[in-house]
Amino acid sequence: MNYYLSILKNYATFTGRARRSEFWYGILFNFLALIVANVLDNVLGTKIMTDFGFELPYGYVYIGYVLLTFIPFLAVQVRRLHDVGKSGWFYLIVLIPLIGFIWLLVLDCTEGTPGPNQYGENPKNVG
């Protein structure tokens, strides 16, 4: 939970490095929060109805949460890429269908470069 809160506190910090644990625990708690937002949409009846007469599987609470957390989670992804020695622009690799997502997933699971790199100190050694 502390990692999730630190991601939200560093709202738009695209500099530095992020450990694997910060990234993956943040993703885990974000996923749980998305489930809670979806349940709230169901309980409150705030699902979105389209002009075609069917209900979308998400509602206003869900969309609001996604919009509020998009930048912090983009920032932690960039910091995670910095930890493995890649530029934040490398995130655009996901635009390559299927292979780009798999490549990014492998990078997210890879241990960061030991010691300092061009993006900062190793976060394992700090604090």
Side-chain angles (χ1 to χ4, degrees):
M1 184 70 160
N2 290 334
Y3 289 121
Y4 177 76
L5 295 176
S6 74
I7 289 171
L8 295 179
K9 286 179 190 173
N10 295 326
Y11 189 83
T13 305
F14 290 88
T15 58
R17 296 168 62 174
R19 298 176 63 175
R20 282 182 295 182
S21 55
E22 177 185 1
F23 178 78
W24 287 111
Y25 280 120
I27 295 295
L28 172 67
F29 282 103
N30 189 47
F31 180 72
L32 295 175
L34 286 170
I35 291 172
V36 169
N38 201 4
V39 168
L40 279 173
D41 277 329
N42 285 327
V43 170
L44 298 173
T46 56
K47 293 277 188 163
I48 299 172
M49 187 64 90
T50 65
D51 292 336
F52 300 110
F54 64 90
E55 197 173 67
L56 295 177
Y58 46 83
Y60 294 110
V61 175
Y62 185 92
I63 290 174
Y65 176 78
V66 168
L67 290 175
L68 287 174
T69 60
F70 175 75
I71 292 177
F73 281 93
L74 179 63
V76 78
Q77 176 65 66
V78 168
R79 291 194 312 269
R80 181 71 202 122
L81 286 170
H82 287 174
D83 194 38
V84 294
K86 303 286 185 198
S87 167
W89 289 104
F90 202 79
Y91 180 71
L92 297 177
I93 195 77
V94 298
L95 296 177
I96 299 173
L98 189 62
I99 294 171
F101 173 75
I102 293 170
W103 194 350
L104 186 64
L105 185 63
V106 167
L107 288 175
D108 288 338
C109 295
T110 303
E111 186 173 357
T113 56
N117 67 12
Q118 64 186 5
Y119 301 105
E121 290 291 323
N122 188 347
K124 284 187 176 180
N125 299 338
V126 177

